[in-house]
Amino acid sequence: MGGCFSKPKPVELKIEVVLPEKERGKEELSASGKGSPRAYQGNGTARHFHTEERLPAPHPYAGTQDCVEAAVCHVKDLENGQMREVELGWGKVLLVKENGEFHALGHKCPHYGAPLVKGVLSRGRVRCPWHGACFNISTGDLEDFPGLDSLHKFQVKIEKEKVYVWASKQALQLQRRTKVMAKCISPSAGHSGSTNVLIVGAGAAGLVCAETLRQEGFSDRIVLCTLDRHLPYDRPKLSKPTCDPGLALPSLGPRASVAKWNSGCLALSQVGCILQSLDAQPEQLALRPKEFFRAYGIEVLTEAQVVTVDVRNKKVVFKDGFKLEYNKLLLAPGSSPKTLSCKGKEVENVFTIRTPEDANRVVRLARGRNAVVVGAGFLGMEVAAYLTEKAHSVSVVELEETPFRRFLGERVGRALMKMFENNRVKFYMQTEVSELRAQEGKLKEVVLKSSKVVRADVCVVGIGAVPATGFLRQSGISLDSRGFIPVNKMMQTNIPGVFAAGDAVTFPLAWRNNRKVNIPHWQMAHAQGRVAAQNMLAQEAEISTVPYLWTAMFGKSLRYAGYGEGFDDVIIQGDLEELKFVAFYTKGDEVIAVASMNYDPIVSKVAEVLASGRAIRKREVEEPPGTGKAWRPQDRGRPQAGHNGEPRGDMMNDMVSPWPSLSLSPSKRLFLLHSKTGDMSWLTGKGS
């Protein structure tokens, strides 16, 4: 079994967390949200963790030579609820005014670099327009996912009705902040047959769980084990291209220093714009550098397969026979891709995209040759889109009538299919693969049940996945009929001290009446990992995030929020042919999901409304026959323009709230009702 560190040799040592008698009761947290001192027991000795034992973090304003101060606007330039990017000379800052107070934050989302000024301001936080991450405007802290890092918060002062911002030059360049974390002070860490917390799976859920524990002051041993040969990496980038000429990503190579990472000595411009795609290298995809794991005492065992979980004795057994005891366990094993079961399935050059090596080999084999993709879901279509510029021909085989039909509906699916056809992709719909034919052991042809034969030098299979939970069948941990792990809102399984998160779980979705669902989204895995960590520390947290996903094809991004399974109607606003539209998915009288292309930040707006607990009714988004615009009982109460004609961005004004408008095209308007309780109001939206 390989690893980031040498495989520990078993010795008789057991470390346990000692929680308060309530278990056990909710642990006390300080008003700032940081963990108060907690008692732990290691080697039989009680000790306390205090904030001074955390890794030292440099003060953002360590010296005046490192700081810049500038007057950025007049106090009347911004109305309540408005956001603006302002320039400080060394970089830009997001200036926000809410409830009469000004806040200054990093202006780019640390996830993929989206401009937050184009996002949604609501309830004391700003939501990213691209992928839905949320940041507290008072602290800069990350409150909802995806992503790992928070925003820098800069000092603001008002003098003679002018707004001044004071900021660190390094922070302005870096545009991301890693939260302060505890050091591991457990004795003999890395050389023991037991661990306090064991995390099975090093995807988003596993990594966020480990980081959350450290952020909350947990200082005992954490072991993260994975089947992969790499440290945790950004798996969506295996198929989703995410390069933007002005975009720089916080992924660092193996030589990066954790000191530079934490201090801000590595600016975004130094990290550079990384072309993330099927031919990206593992180090380009890394979520954290190796030094990060060493510094914070998060042990990573790579190529480590758990084969048995003994919940009675709190012990797991690995494939090579190594045994590890635990006190708390998180199961985040993810899923395994489905494979073809047809004749010839064993031929060479047939792949599922699971690892960077899989993706790299597909690109290498497809260059100038014939590629076939089986499955027209997100993975299959993303791969097909990327290969059009590499392969001689790209063909897609799909059982349904249109791509994405079950997820996005017939009309949206056909519009996307046309975009692919315009980019030389050939579709074979309503058929399946019956045989893979080889020449000298290597794939040469794909035979379809429709009797058509498609030339193929490489084949990518993207027909779904199953939960990777086979090793739990005899464990006593409950699995449903499909192999998923049922958990409650606190991500707890039926076994005390055992939690589960990520693609392999079903959980109650709060805003869909606690319906038990499986949502294999990258963003959802982040949120579940944090909730699991919080409840390992008895904080009684519950999962409440609104699902949010995205895809990118031919330079166009599609965003989606909500949970649309079982939708019975789709309300389209905008122009499908131009791929500039918003699609509302309804069930009965309620909007349950939304998708859009070229209309940021409408999906983030809907996500924020749903997160507030407010339902959106079908009548609020549909157009009555023959009117050419959305139904509304009156035409009043639209958002007022702010100073200098800028639109107001607040979503909490106007207690009685009719239908503000969102301009979708010269000929169409979408009118949406915002909350009559003051929780929400819709902004004037602009296509991007």
Side-chain angles (χ1 to χ4, degrees):
M1 179 172 64
C4 176
F5 307 98
S6 300
K7 185 176 76 174
K9 297 180 180 180
V11 295
E12 292 301 319
L13 175 65
K14 190 171 183 179
I15 306 170
E16 296 182 351
V17 175
V18 178
L19 295 173
E21 268 309 315
K22 264 175 129 175
E23 164 81 71
R24 287 119 63 175
K26 189 174 183 179
E27 290 195 42
E28 294 181 359
L29 293 178
S30 67
S32 67
K34 296 180 180 179
S36 57
R38 300 185 177 91
Y40 295 100
Q41 183 178 10
N43 245 3
T45 304
R47 65 176 178 276
H48 292 268
F49 168 77
H50 296 276
T51 54
E52 60 267 23
E53 291 179 304
R54 299 171 184 261
L55 277 181
H59 192 279
Y61 311 113
T64 55
Q65 71 280 1
D66 182 50
C67 296
V68 59
E69 184 179 42
V72 295
C73 69
H74 190 276
V75 291
K76 294 183 179 179
D77 285 347
L78 265 71
E79 300 284 346
N80 278 325
Q82 279 189 301
M83 301 185 290
R84 177 189 291 183
E85 280 186 356
V86 295
E87 178 62 58
L88 266 66
W90 285 79
K92 293 181 180 180
V93 164
L94 179 69
L95 188 66
V96 179
K97 186 177 182 181
E98 187 168 76
N99 297 326
E101 293 187 9
F102 286 89
H103 305 270
L105 310 159
H107 76 291
K108 285 188 175 181
C109 178
H111 179 227
Y112 283 1
L116 292 174
V117 72
K118 295 184 178 180
V120 178
L121 177 62
S122 168
R123 301 182 297 149
R125 66 185 191 177
V126 58
R127 184 182 284 267
C128 172
W130 289 0
H131 308 130
C134 296
F135 303 91
N136 186 296
I137 62 171
S138 296
T139 64
D141 286 349
L142 177 68
E143 291 191 343
D144 205 348
F145 299 94
L148 299 173
D149 290 319
S150 298
L151 300 173
H152 281 285
K153 181 70 164 62
F154 304 113
Q155 294 184 14
V156 178
K157 67 177 181 180
I158 309 296
E159 286 186 359
K160 297 180 180 178
E161 296 198 329
K162 288 186 178 181
V163 180
Y164 290 82
V165 176
W166 189 31
S168 158
K169 296 174 184 177
Q170 290 181 354
L172 285 171
Q173 294 176 358
L174 189 65
Q175 291 293 330
R176 47 153 292 279
R177 171 176 61 86
T178 301
K179 284 187 177 181
V180 176
M181 299 190 195
K183 290 188 288 187
C184 178
I185 57 176
S186 174
S188 304
H191 301 283
S192 167
S194 71
T195 181
N196 206 299
V197 173
L198 174 62
I199 300 171
V200 179
L207 178 58
V208 170
C209 178
E211 291 199 17
T212 301
L213 288 169
R214 289 287 184 248
Q215 290 164 4
E216 293 295 320
F218 182 78
S219 57
D220 264 311
R221 190 180 181 201
I222 300 173
V223 174
L224 188 66
C225 65
T226 174
L227 279 170
D228 275 305
R229 59 190 297 185
H230 307 292
L231 293 173
Y233 57 91
D234 198 340
R235 193 178 298 275
K237 291 179 187 172
L238 290 181
S239 59
K240 301 180 196 292
T242 57
C243 184
D244 184 300
L247 171 62
L249 302 170
S251 301
L252 299 183
R255 298 179 183 176
S257 154
V258 74
K260 289 185 177 181
W261 174 263
N262 287 327
S263 68
C265 293
L266 280 171
L268 284 175
S269 59
Q270 292 172 291
V271 177
C273 177
I274 301 172
L275 283 168
Q276 303 294 355
S277 56
L278 275 76
D279 50 5
Q281 297 304 302
E283 58 269 18
Q284 294 174 307
L285 303 173
L287 291 168
R288 298 293 196 194
K290 183 183 294 185
E291 289 79 5
F292 177 93
F293 295 95
R294 292 189 182 277
Y296 297 114
I298 300 170
E299 300 172 53
V300 184
L301 303 180
T302 57
E303 298 180 279
Q305 182 178 358
V306 174
V307 294
T308 303
V309 176
D310 180 353
V311 296
R312 176 174 294 182
N313 295 305
K314 292 191 172 183
K315 181 188 301 182
V316 302
V317 180
F318 291 86
K319 188 175 182 179
D320 65 355
F322 175 64
K323 299 177 182 179
L324 189 61
E325 295 182 3
Y326 64 85
N327 183 267
K328 301 288 184 183
L329 174 66
L330 174 69
L331 298 168
S335 57
S336 300
K338 293 180 180 178
T339 58
L340 296 175
S341 58
C342 62
K343 181 180 178 181
K345 61 182 180 180
E346 69 286 346
V347 304
E348 292 183 36
N349 300 341
V350 178
F351 300 91
T352 56
I353 304 292
R354 179 67 183 170
T355 67
E357 289 78 15
D358 293 335
N360 294 171
R361 288 185 66 192
V362 166
V363 173
R364 187 170 63 251
L365 290 168
R367 290 186 190 277
R369 297 184 179 181
N370 303 299
V372 171
V373 177
V374 182
F378 285 100
L379 175 64
M381 296 290 274
E382 289 162 0
V383 170
Y386 183 77
L387 292 181
T388 55
E389 293 186 359
K390 310 290 183 182
H392 172 70
S393 70
V394 178
S395 302
V396 175
V397 179
E398 167 59 40
L399 188 59
E400 296 285 347
E401 294 181 28
T402 56
F404 305 116
R405 188 181 70 85
R406 293 186 181 181
F407 197 84
L408 297 176
E410 183 80 16
R411 293 172 63 193
V412 175
R414 287 200 179 279
L416 295 176
M417 184 175 176
K418 182 178 179 181
M419 175 179 69
F420 275 74
E421 289 173 332
N422 291 339
N423 284 275
R424 301 187 306 108
V425 176
K426 172 70 173 176
F427 285 93
Y428 297 89
M429 308 302 288
Q430 294 182 279
T431 188
E432 297 178 87
V433 176
S434 63
E435 182 182 358
L436 299 173
R437 292 177 181 171
Q439 182 177 334
E440 298 180 355
K442 296 181 180 179
L443 180 68
K444 292 306 292 182
E445 292 177 333
V446 174
V447 182
L448 307 180
K449 287 188 176 180
S450 61
S451 300
K452 292 185 178 179
V453 178
V454 184
R455 294 180 61 187
D457 299 293
V458 61
C459 177
V460 176
V461 180
I463 55 175
V466 294
T469 55
F471 68 102
L472 298 174
R473 289 197 183 105
Q474 306 301 321
S475 67
I477 298 169
S478 292
L479 300 177
D480 68 14
S481 59
R482 298 177 296 165
F484 291 104
I485 309 168
V487 296
N488 61 17
K489 291 181 181 180
M490 301 169 75
M491 309 315 294
Q492 295 171 330
T493 68
N494 63 309
I495 303 296
V498 178
F499 300 81
D503 292 4
V505 307
T506 58
F507 68 99
L509 188 59
W511 65 275
R512 288 293 303 274
N513 298 317
N514 294 319
R515 177 181 175 180
K516 279 273 190 174
V517 298
N518 168 253
I519 301 179
H521 299 176
W522 187 245
Q523 167 257 8
M524 186 60 70
H526 285 69
Q528 292 173 347
R530 179 167 67 179
V531 170
Q534 291 170 327
N535 290 311
M536 287 181 180
L537 300 175
Q539 293 181 8
E540 299 181 9
E542 294 186 352
I543 188 74
S544 60
T545 191
V546 173
Y548 202 118
L549 67 84
W550 67 95
T551 186
M553 301 162 291
F554 303 113
K556 298 183 182 295
S557 292
L558 182 141
R559 318 202 193 284
Y560 181 100
Y563 182 74
E565 183 173 312
F567 68 86
D568 53 32
D569 197 6
V570 185
I571 309 299
I572 305 291
Q573 301 283 1
D575 194 325
L576 278 175
E577 290 188 4
E578 292 182 5
L579 296 177
K580 186 175 183 179
F581 66 89
V582 183
F584 294 94
Y585 298 86
T586 65
K587 187 171 185 179
D589 184 44
E590 188 175 351
V591 174
I592 57 176
V594 61
S596 82
M597 292 187 80
N598 293 311
Y599 253 99
D600 294 339
I602 185 63
V603 171
S604 286
K605 289 180 182 179
V606 172
E608 195 61 21
V609 172
L610 296 177
S612 76
R614 191 270 202 222
I616 303 172
R617 299 301 173 189
K618 183 176 181 179
R619 66 178 181 274
E620 299 168 31
V621 301
E622 66 184 352
E623 293 181 281
T627 66
K629 58 183 178 181
W631 179 87
R632 59 196 173 116
Q634 53 190 345
D635 186 13
R636 64 180 179 85
R638 299 185 185 182
Q640 300 296 314
H643 192 71
N644 294 332
E646 294 187 22
R648 293 180 60 173
D650 59 300
M651 299 186 73
M652 299 184 70
N653 64 333
D654 197 349
M655 294 291 284
V656 289
S657 47
W659 277 252
S661 65
L662 170 64
S663 175
L664 287 175
S665 69
S667 62
K668 283 194 173 184
R669 280 186 171 180
L670 168 65
F671 294 87
L672 297 172
L673 174 68
H674 65 73
S675 171
K676 293 186 178 180
T677 63
D679 290 335
M680 287 289 149
S681 72
W682 288 87
L683 313 181
T684 299
K686 297 179 180 179
S688 58

